[in-house]
Amino acid sequence: MDASVGMDGGSATRNFLHHHHSRTSPPLQQPQISQIGTVPQLLSGGIAGAFSKTCTAPLARLTILFQVQGMHSDVAVMSKPSMYREALRIVNEEGFRAFWKGNLVTVVHRLPYSAVNFYAYEQYKNILKSIPGLESYGANKSADVLVHFLGGGLSGITAASATYPLDLVRTRLSAQRNSIYYQGIRHALRTICKDEGFFGLYKGMGATLLGVGPSIAISFAVYESLRSYWHSRRPNDSTVLVSLACGSLSGIASSTATFPLDLLRRRKQLEGAGGRARVYNTGLFGTIGQIVRSEGFRGLYRGILPEYYKVVPGVGIAFMTYETLKKLLSQGPCG
């Protein structure tokens, strides 16, 4: 997930963590731009998200390779997914740098995603506050949660839609093994438009948008319940430690619940890639049925292990980077 924005201790931490860990990238943020300028916040958030994703890129690539493994392989002869064996294969066949295949697109994707998210959230929040019943935002806790939740969902959908082609290109580059069909970001964008038409850049977007709501709801519910339970038992624990722990656990819960949709998105994104024949000719639910029939229910969770492994370091690295950059940039001339 991208970096969130917000300055006030625990709530800044909470909003940043919510915004960081989900694959569908829904923002749960409350921008407060009094202590640090908007541009430094966006830069801090974007760079922190990009750095975190670069550090966990090998695990992200393993997830994608496992997720799409059942598409063109005969399931009967497929080996049991082993992270160690797959990592060895990547090093031996593609070289060590191949762990970062597709990572440049992820980095390029971060800043526009953060920017669209930030500004869309502000706009949606203003619109929602003008709706009767929600005008008590900031004073009424339930109105607060609703504005936060709906604004987060809508800005997540807007940002995901605006930057979706980059997400699709990232999947295509990451899924390439030895035969290289797409040479880089620009070549991939040009080739997809030529081979599959402009709308080829939006394959799998339905699954992405479908995952935004549940992902926000689960993250938010798990995070808030864990945090209040923890505070009731150990009120003196460090706010940062509590936020990081609860942020990681809510990330794991959200990943588990929405992983089948993520797998679906990746497979839809690869439909017809490199001139290959289509595998799924039905809609989202037809495709889920096809995967369950051919690979079993476990097929929907292919690749979830590396996904779990990257949640905790991903959240920690992003948060620490964000805090450091925020301090540095607030001391600069534009702070």
Side-chain angles (χ1 to χ4, degrees), residues 173-210:
L173 293 175
S174 297
Q176 292 187 136
R177 289 167 70 142
N178 296 331
S179 55
I180 302 297
Y181 187 79
Y182 304 107
Q183 305 293 334
I185 303 172
R186 283 173 64 187
H187 179 259
L189 288 166
R190 268 202 319 271
T191 310
I192 293 164
C193 283
K194 196 175 80 194
D195 291 356
E196 303 160 57
F198 176 74
F199 289 106
L201 294 171
Y202 289 88
K203 281 180 176 172
M205 196 161 98
T208 304
L209 301 186
L210 205 60

mmCIF file of all heavy atoms in Angstrom, residues 173-210:
data_model
loop_
_atom_site.group_PDB
_atom_site.id
_atom_site.type_symbol
_atom_site.label_atom_id
_atom_site.label_comp_id
_atom_site.label_asym_id
_atom_site.label_seq_id
_atom_site.Cartn_x
_atom_site.Cartn_y
_atom_site.Cartn_z
ATOM 1 N N LEU A 173 5.567 -7.767 -16.490
ATOM 2 C CA LEU A 173 7.040 -7.821 -16.425
ATOM 3 C C LEU A 173 7.495 -8.817 -15.358
ATOM 4 O O LEU A 173 8.437 -9.573 -15.575
ATOM 5 C CB LEU A 173 7.614 -6.428 -16.134
ATOM 6 C CG LEU A 173 7.438 -5.366 -17.225
ATOM 7 C CD1 LEU A 173 7.943 -4.014 -16.751
ATOM 8 C CD2 LEU A 173 8.158 -5.755 -18.509
ATOM 9 N N SER A 174 6.804 -8.831 -14.208
ATOM 10 C CA SER A 174 7.188 -9.736 -13.115
ATOM 11 C C SER A 174 6.955 -11.197 -13.484
ATOM 12 O O SER A 174 7.668 -12.084 -13.014
ATOM 13 C CB SER A 174 6.369 -9.438 -11.855
ATOM 14 O OG SER A 174 6.631 -8.155 -11.389
ATOM 15 N N ALA A 175 5.919 -11.464 -14.281
ATOM 16 C CA ALA A 175 5.554 -12.843 -14.603
ATOM 17 C C ALA A 175 6.436 -13.444 -15.699
ATOM 18 O O ALA A 175 6.407 -14.652 -15.925
ATOM 19 C CB ALA A 175 4.090 -12.918 -15.021
ATOM 20 N N GLN A 176 7.224 -12.603 -16.388
ATOM 21 C CA GLN A 176 8.121 -13.127 -17.444
ATOM 22 C C GLN A 176 9.250 -13.919 -16.802
ATOM 23 O O GLN A 176 9.864 -13.467 -15.840
ATOM 24 C CB GLN A 176 8.710 -11.968 -18.259
ATOM 25 C CG GLN A 176 7.675 -11.249 -19.089
ATOM 26 C CD GLN A 176 8.285 -10.218 -20.027
ATOM 27 O OE1 GLN A 176 7.914 -10.125 -21.176
ATOM 28 N NE2 GLN A 176 9.223 -9.430 -19.536
ATOM 29 N N ARG A 177 9.507 -15.079 -17.368
ATOM 30 C CA ARG A 177 10.595 -15.888 -16.832
ATOM 31 C C ARG A 177 11.793 -15.782 -17.769
ATOM 32 O O ARG A 177 12.469 -14.776 -17.818
ATOM 33 C CB ARG A 177 10.115 -17.313 -16.611
ATOM 34 C CG ARG A 177 9.126 -17.364 -15.421
ATOM 35 C CD ARG A 177 8.370 -18.645 -15.325
ATOM 36 N NE ARG A 177 9.205 -19.752 -14.924
ATOM 37 C CZ ARG A 177 8.822 -20.724 -14.116
ATOM 38 N NH1 ARG A 177 7.618 -20.693 -13.575
ATOM 39 N NH2 ARG A 177 9.614 -21.726 -13.834
ATOM 40 N N ASN A 178 12.043 -16.827 -18.567
ATOM 41 C CA ASN A 178 13.221 -16.770 -19.438
ATOM 42 C C ASN A 178 12.960 -16.051 -20.756
ATOM 43 O O ASN A 178 13.806 -15.327 -21.254
ATOM 44 C CB ASN A 178 13.746 -18.184 -19.711
ATOM 45 C CG ASN A 178 14.219 -18.830 -18.432
ATOM 46 O OD1 ASN A 178 14.649 -18.135 -17.532
ATOM 47 N ND2 ASN A 178 14.121 -20.147 -18.327
ATOM 48 N N SER A 179 11.770 -16.279 -21.343
ATOM 49 C CA SER A 179 11.485 -15.620 -22.621
ATOM 50 C C SER A 179 10.955 -14.218 -22.336
ATOM 51 O O SER A 179 9.987 -14.049 -21.594
ATOM 52 C CB SER A 179 10.449 -16.427 -23.407
ATOM 53 O OG SER A 179 9.306 -16.605 -22.606
ATOM 54 N N ILE A 180 11.620 -13.219 -22.889
ATOM 55 C CA ILE A 180 11.255 -11.826 -22.638
ATOM 56 C C ILE A 180 10.460 -11.291 -23.826
ATOM 57 O O ILE A 180 10.979 -11.162 -24.932
ATOM 58 C CB ILE A 180 12.522 -10.957 -22.408
ATOM 59 C CG1 ILE A 180 13.357 -11.496 -21.232
ATOM 60 C CG2 ILE A 180 12.149 -9.498 -22.182
ATOM 61 C CD1 ILE A 180 12.676 -11.469 -19.874
ATOM 62 N N TYR A 181 9.180 -11.026 -23.594
ATOM 63 C CA TYR A 181 8.316 -10.494 -24.646
ATOM 64 C C TYR A 181 8.216 -8.972 -24.514
ATOM 65 O O TYR A 181 8.235 -8.256 -25.500
ATOM 66 C CB TYR A 181 6.924 -11.121 -24.529
ATOM 67 C CG TYR A 181 5.982 -10.780 -25.670
ATOM 68 C CD1 TYR A 181 6.062 -11.436 -26.897
ATOM 69 C CD2 TYR A 181 4.998 -9.796 -25.514
ATOM 70 C CE1 TYR A 181 5.202 -11.130 -27.947
ATOM 71 C CE2 TYR A 181 4.131 -9.486 -26.562
ATOM 72 C CZ TYR A 181 4.241 -10.153 -27.763
ATOM 73 O OH TYR A 181 3.387 -9.855 -28.804
ATOM 74 N N TYR A 182 8.127 -8.485 -23.258
ATOM 75 C CA TYR A 182 8.043 -7.040 -23.002
ATOM 76 C C TYR A 182 9.406 -6.546 -22.526
ATOM 77 O O TYR A 182 9.931 -7.032 -21.529
ATOM 78 C CB TYR A 182 6.974 -6.739 -21.940
ATOM 79 C CG TYR A 182 5.604 -7.275 -22.307
ATOM 80 C CD1 TYR A 182 5.066 -8.383 -21.651
ATOM 81 C CD2 TYR A 182 4.853 -6.685 -23.314
ATOM 82 C CE1 TYR A 182 3.814 -8.883 -21.988
ATOM 83 C CE2 TYR A 182 3.601 -7.181 -23.667
ATOM 84 C CZ TYR A 182 3.084 -8.278 -23.000
ATOM 85 O OH TYR A 182 1.856 -8.774 -23.342
ATOM 86 N N GLN A 183 9.958 -5.557 -23.241
ATOM 87 C CA GLN A 183 11.336 -5.113 -22.971
ATOM 88 C C GLN A 183 11.445 -4.086 -21.844
ATOM 89 O O GLN A 183 12.521 -3.837 -21.337
ATOM 90 C CB GLN A 183 11.937 -4.491 -24.252
ATOM 91 C CG GLN A 183 11.900 -5.395 -25.478
ATOM 92 C CD GLN A 183 12.808 -6.607 -25.338
ATOM 93 O OE1 GLN A 183 13.799 -6.565 -24.599
ATOM 94 N NE2 GLN A 183 12.493 -7.686 -26.035
ATOM 95 N N GLY A 184 10.352 -3.480 -21.476
ATOM 96 C CA GLY A 184 10.394 -2.453 -20.437
ATOM 97 C C GLY A 184 9.023 -1.795 -20.356
ATOM 98 O O GLY A 184 8.090 -2.222 -21.025
ATOM 99 N N ILE A 185 8.924 -0.714 -19.565
ATOM 100 C CA ILE A 185 7.613 -0.090 -19.328
ATOM 101 C C ILE A 185 7.008 0.452 -20.623
ATOM 102 O O ILE A 185 5.883 0.105 -20.984
ATOM 103 C CB ILE A 185 7.731 1.048 -18.273
ATOM 104 C CG1 ILE A 185 8.309 0.515 -16.955
ATOM 105 C CG2 ILE A 185 6.361 1.675 -18.014
ATOM 106 C CD1 ILE A 185 8.630 1.580 -15.923
ATOM 107 N N ARG A 186 7.758 1.299 -21.350
ATOM 108 C CA ARG A 186 7.208 1.920 -22.565
ATOM 109 C C ARG A 186 6.896 0.879 -23.636
ATOM 110 O O ARG A 186 5.855 0.936 -24.282
ATOM 111 C CB ARG A 186 8.181 2.973 -23.107
ATOM 112 C CG ARG A 186 8.122 4.271 -22.302
ATOM 113 C CD ARG A 186 9.185 5.245 -22.713
ATOM 114 N NE ARG A 186 9.008 5.681 -24.103
ATOM 115 C CZ ARG A 186 9.888 6.435 -24.750
ATOM 116 N NH1 ARG A 186 10.991 6.852 -24.141
ATOM 117 N NH2 ARG A 186 9.682 6.802 -25.998
ATOM 118 N N HIS A 187 7.807 -0.083 -23.791
ATOM 119 C CA HIS A 187 7.600 -1.131 -24.783
ATOM 120 C C HIS A 187 6.352 -1.948 -24.442
ATOM 121 O O HIS A 187 5.546 -2.283 -25.315
ATOM 122 C CB HIS A 187 8.837 -2.035 -24.868
ATOM 123 C CG HIS A 187 8.695 -3.154 -25.847
ATOM 124 N ND1 HIS A 187 8.395 -4.455 -25.456
ATOM 125 C CD2 HIS A 187 8.766 -3.175 -27.204
ATOM 126 C CE1 HIS A 187 8.321 -5.214 -26.543
ATOM 127 N NE2 HIS A 187 8.530 -4.467 -27.614
ATOM 128 N N ALA A 188 6.178 -2.251 -23.144
ATOM 129 C CA ALA A 188 5.012 -3.036 -22.700
ATOM 130 C C ALA A 188 3.715 -2.272 -22.978
ATOM 131 O O ALA A 188 2.760 -2.826 -23.530
ATOM 132 C CB ALA A 188 5.124 -3.363 -21.218
ATOM 133 N N LEU A 189 3.682 -0.984 -22.629
ATOM 134 C CA LEU A 189 2.470 -0.178 -22.853
ATOM 135 C C LEU A 189 2.120 -0.128 -24.346
ATOM 136 O O LEU A 189 0.966 -0.314 -24.735
ATOM 137 C CB LEU A 189 2.666 1.249 -22.316
ATOM 138 C CG LEU A 189 2.677 1.407 -20.784
ATOM 139 C CD1 LEU A 189 3.205 2.781 -20.377
ATOM 140 C CD2 LEU A 189 1.286 1.195 -20.184
ATOM 141 N N ARG A 190 3.147 0.111 -25.186
ATOM 142 C CA ARG A 190 2.938 0.180 -26.655
ATOM 143 C C ARG A 190 2.451 -1.155 -27.198
ATOM 144 O O ARG A 190 1.491 -1.235 -27.963
ATOM 145 C CB ARG A 190 4.233 0.587 -27.364
ATOM 146 C CG ARG A 190 4.398 2.068 -27.579
ATOM 147 C CD ARG A 190 5.368 2.391 -28.716
ATOM 148 N NE ARG A 190 6.555 1.544 -28.740
ATOM 149 C CZ ARG A 190 7.685 1.828 -28.089
ATOM 150 N NH1 ARG A 190 7.756 2.933 -27.365
ATOM 151 N NH2 ARG A 190 8.719 1.030 -28.156
ATOM 152 N N THR A 191 3.133 -2.240 -26.778
ATOM 153 C CA THR A 191 2.822 -3.580 -27.296
ATOM 154 C C THR A 191 1.414 -4.020 -26.885
ATOM 155 O O THR A 191 0.679 -4.598 -27.699
ATOM 156 C CB THR A 191 3.865 -4.614 -26.779
ATOM 157 O OG1 THR A 191 5.169 -4.097 -27.035
ATOM 158 C CG2 THR A 191 3.718 -5.953 -27.457
ATOM 159 N N ILE A 192 1.032 -3.762 -25.646
ATOM 160 C CA ILE A 192 -0.307 -4.160 -25.172
ATOM 161 C C ILE A 192 -1.375 -3.423 -25.981
ATOM 162 O O ILE A 192 -2.349 -4.023 -26.430
ATOM 163 C CB ILE A 192 -0.459 -3.909 -23.647
ATOM 164 C CG1 ILE A 192 0.457 -4.852 -22.855
ATOM 165 C CG2 ILE A 192 -1.907 -4.112 -23.201
ATOM 166 C CD1 ILE A 192 0.688 -4.454 -21.410
ATOM 167 N N CYS A 193 -1.170 -2.101 -26.187
ATOM 168 C CA CYS A 193 -2.141 -1.324 -26.975
ATOM 169 C C CYS A 193 -2.242 -1.867 -28.404
ATOM 170 O O CYS A 193 -3.333 -1.963 -28.967
ATOM 171 C CB CYS A 193 -1.747 0.149 -27.017
ATOM 172 S SG CYS A 193 -2.154 1.000 -25.494
ATOM 173 N N LYS A 194 -1.095 -2.243 -28.962
ATOM 174 C CA LYS A 194 -1.067 -2.745 -30.348
ATOM 175 C C LYS A 194 -1.713 -4.134 -30.433
ATOM 176 O O LYS A 194 -2.530 -4.400 -31.303
ATOM 177 C CB LYS A 194 0.385 -2.796 -30.839
ATOM 178 C CG LYS A 194 0.520 -2.932 -32.364
ATOM 179 C CD LYS A 194 1.976 -2.840 -32.789
ATOM 180 C CE LYS A 194 2.631 -4.209 -32.537
ATOM 181 N NZ LYS A 194 4.072 -4.196 -32.578
ATOM 182 N N ASP A 195 -1.345 -5.030 -29.508
ATOM 183 C CA ASP A 195 -1.832 -6.428 -29.554
ATOM 184 C C ASP A 195 -3.276 -6.572 -29.085
ATOM 185 O O ASP A 195 -4.031 -7.376 -29.614
ATOM 186 C CB ASP A 195 -0.972 -7.333 -28.641
ATOM 187 C CG ASP A 195 0.437 -7.522 -29.185
ATOM 188 O OD1 ASP A 195 0.712 -7.010 -30.295
ATOM 189 O OD2 ASP A 195 1.254 -8.155 -28.492
ATOM 190 N N GLU A 196 -3.640 -5.831 -28.029
ATOM 191 C CA GLU A 196 -4.924 -6.091 -27.355
ATOM 192 C C GLU A 196 -5.864 -4.893 -27.339
ATOM 193 O O GLU A 196 -6.943 -4.965 -26.759
ATOM 194 C CB GLU A 196 -4.657 -6.541 -25.907
ATOM 195 C CG GLU A 196 -3.767 -7.773 -25.817
ATOM 196 C CD GLU A 196 -3.125 -7.934 -24.448
ATOM 197 O OE1 GLU A 196 -3.872 -8.004 -23.463
ATOM 198 O OE2 GLU A 196 -1.880 -7.976 -24.365
ATOM 199 N N GLY A 197 -5.415 -3.776 -27.932
ATOM 200 C CA GLY A 197 -6.240 -2.568 -27.922
ATOM 201 C C GLY A 197 -6.059 -1.800 -26.619
ATOM 202 O O GLY A 197 -5.504 -2.319 -25.649
ATOM 203 N N PHE A 198 -6.547 -0.554 -26.603
ATOM 204 C CA PHE A 198 -6.378 0.312 -25.432
ATOM 205 C C PHE A 198 -6.940 -0.320 -24.161
ATOM 206 O O PHE A 198 -6.353 -0.252 -23.085
ATOM 207 C CB PHE A 198 -7.045 1.669 -25.700
ATOM 208 C CG PHE A 198 -6.997 2.594 -24.524
ATOM 209 C CD1 PHE A 198 -5.808 3.223 -24.159
ATOM 210 C CD2 PHE A 198 -8.132 2.838 -23.742
ATOM 211 C CE1 PHE A 198 -5.753 4.071 -23.056
ATOM 212 C CE2 PHE A 198 -8.086 3.686 -22.637
ATOM 213 C CZ PHE A 198 -6.896 4.306 -22.299
ATOM 214 N N PHE A 199 -8.093 -0.999 -24.276
ATOM 215 C CA PHE A 199 -8.727 -1.568 -23.072
ATOM 216 C C PHE A 199 -7.975 -2.791 -22.542
ATOM 217 O O PHE A 199 -8.258 -3.258 -21.437
ATOM 218 C CB PHE A 199 -10.207 -1.872 -23.332
ATOM 219 C CG PHE A 199 -11.029 -0.621 -23.449
ATOM 220 C CD1 PHE A 199 -11.498 -0.195 -24.682
ATOM 221 C CD2 PHE A 199 -11.286 0.163 -22.332
ATOM 222 C CE1 PHE A 199 -12.222 0.991 -24.794
ATOM 223 C CE2 PHE A 199 -12.014 1.346 -22.424
ATOM 224 C CZ PHE A 199 -12.483 1.766 -23.666
ATOM 225 N N GLY A 200 -7.018 -3.270 -23.318
ATOM 226 C CA GLY A 200 -6.144 -4.340 -22.828
ATOM 227 C C GLY A 200 -5.367 -3.896 -21.604
ATOM 228 O O GLY A 200 -4.962 -4.711 -20.768
ATOM 229 N N LEU A 201 -5.165 -2.565 -21.457
ATOM 230 C CA LEU A 201 -4.435 -2.014 -20.302
ATOM 231 C C LEU A 201 -5.266 -2.071 -19.015
ATOM 232 O O LEU A 201 -4.760 -1.796 -17.936
ATOM 233 C CB LEU A 201 -4.047 -0.553 -20.570
ATOM 234 C CG LEU A 201 -3.033 -0.297 -21.697
ATOM 235 C CD1 LEU A 201 -2.930 1.186 -21.988
ATOM 236 C CD2 LEU A 201 -1.655 -0.861 -21.325
ATOM 237 N N TYR A 202 -6.569 -2.395 -19.153
ATOM 238 C CA TYR A 202 -7.457 -2.390 -17.994
ATOM 239 C C TYR A 202 -7.990 -3.779 -17.662
ATOM 240 O O TYR A 202 -8.950 -3.915 -16.915
ATOM 241 C CB TYR A 202 -8.611 -1.403 -18.225
ATOM 242 C CG TYR A 202 -8.111 0.018 -18.165
ATOM 243 C CD1 TYR A 202 -7.618 0.639 -19.312
ATOM 244 C CD2 TYR A 202 -8.064 0.714 -16.960
ATOM 245 C CE1 TYR A 202 -7.108 1.930 -19.255
ATOM 246 C CE2 TYR A 202 -7.562 2.002 -16.893
ATOM 247 C CZ TYR A 202 -7.081 2.606 -18.045
ATOM 248 O OH TYR A 202 -6.564 3.876 -17.972
ATOM 249 N N LYS A 203 -7.340 -4.830 -18.188
ATOM 250 C CA LYS A 203 -7.779 -6.195 -17.883
ATOM 251 C C LYS A 203 -7.637 -6.469 -16.388
ATOM 252 O O LYS A 203 -6.603 -6.164 -15.801
ATOM 253 C CB LYS A 203 -6.904 -7.206 -18.642
ATOM 254 C CG LYS A 203 -7.299 -7.364 -20.098
ATOM 255 C CD LYS A 203 -6.399 -8.370 -20.785
ATOM 256 C CE LYS A 203 -6.865 -8.592 -22.217
ATOM 257 N NZ LYS A 203 -5.908 -9.411 -22.966
ATOM 258 N N GLY A 204 -8.677 -7.057 -15.792
ATOM 259 C CA GLY A 204 -8.605 -7.416 -14.367
ATOM 260 C C GLY A 204 -8.970 -6.294 -13.416
ATOM 261 O O GLY A 204 -8.887 -6.452 -12.202
ATOM 262 N N MET A 205 -9.387 -5.130 -13.967
ATOM 263 C CA MET A 205 -9.673 -4.004 -13.082
ATOM 264 C C MET A 205 -10.903 -4.266 -12.206
ATOM 265 O O MET A 205 -10.974 -3.780 -11.076
ATOM 266 C CB MET A 205 -9.858 -2.715 -13.875
ATOM 267 C CG MET A 205 -9.773 -1.507 -12.972
ATOM 268 S SD MET A 205 -9.447 0.012 -13.827
ATOM 269 C CE MET A 205 -11.079 0.666 -13.972
ATOM 270 N N GLY A 206 -11.836 -5.061 -12.694
ATOM 271 C CA GLY A 206 -13.036 -5.392 -11.911
ATOM 272 C C GLY A 206 -12.678 -6.031 -10.582
ATOM 273 O O GLY A 206 -13.204 -5.655 -9.525
ATOM 274 N N ALA A 207 -11.748 -6.997 -10.623
ATOM 275 C CA ALA A 207 -11.327 -7.692 -9.396
ATOM 276 C C ALA A 207 -10.638 -6.722 -8.440
ATOM 277 O O ALA A 207 -10.804 -6.799 -7.217
ATOM 278 C CB ALA A 207 -10.392 -8.848 -9.740
ATOM 279 N N THR A 208 -9.865 -5.781 -8.998
ATOM 280 C CA THR A 208 -9.165 -4.792 -8.169
ATOM 281 C C THR A 208 -10.167 -3.914 -7.429
ATOM 282 O O THR A 208 -10.072 -3.730 -6.213
ATOM 283 C CB THR A 208 -8.276 -3.889 -9.058
ATOM 284 O OG1 THR A 208 -7.390 -4.721 -9.787
ATOM 285 C CG2 THR A 208 -7.485 -2.892 -8.250
ATOM 286 N N LEU A 209 -11.132 -3.368 -8.165
ATOM 287 C CA LEU A 209 -12.103 -2.453 -7.563
ATOM 288 C C LEU A 209 -13.011 -3.176 -6.564
ATOM 289 O O LEU A 209 -13.403 -2.615 -5.552
ATOM 290 C CB LEU A 209 -12.933 -1.750 -8.645
ATOM 291 C CG LEU A 209 -12.128 -0.922 -9.654
ATOM 292 C CD1 LEU A 209 -13.045 -0.164 -10.588
ATOM 293 C CD2 LEU A 209 -11.170 0.047 -8.956
ATOM 294 N N LEU A 210 -13.286 -4.447 -6.868
ATOM 295 C CA LEU A 210 -14.122 -5.257 -5.987
ATOM 296 C C LEU A 210 -13.430 -5.491 -4.638
ATOM 297 O O LEU A 210 -14.080 -5.634 -3.608
ATOM 298 C CB LEU A 210 -14.405 -6.613 -6.662
ATOM 299 C CG LEU A 210 -15.659 -7.366 -6.253
ATOM 300 C CD1 LEU A 210 -16.903 -6.534 -6.548
ATOM 301 C CD2 LEU A 210 -15.737 -8.698 -6.995
#
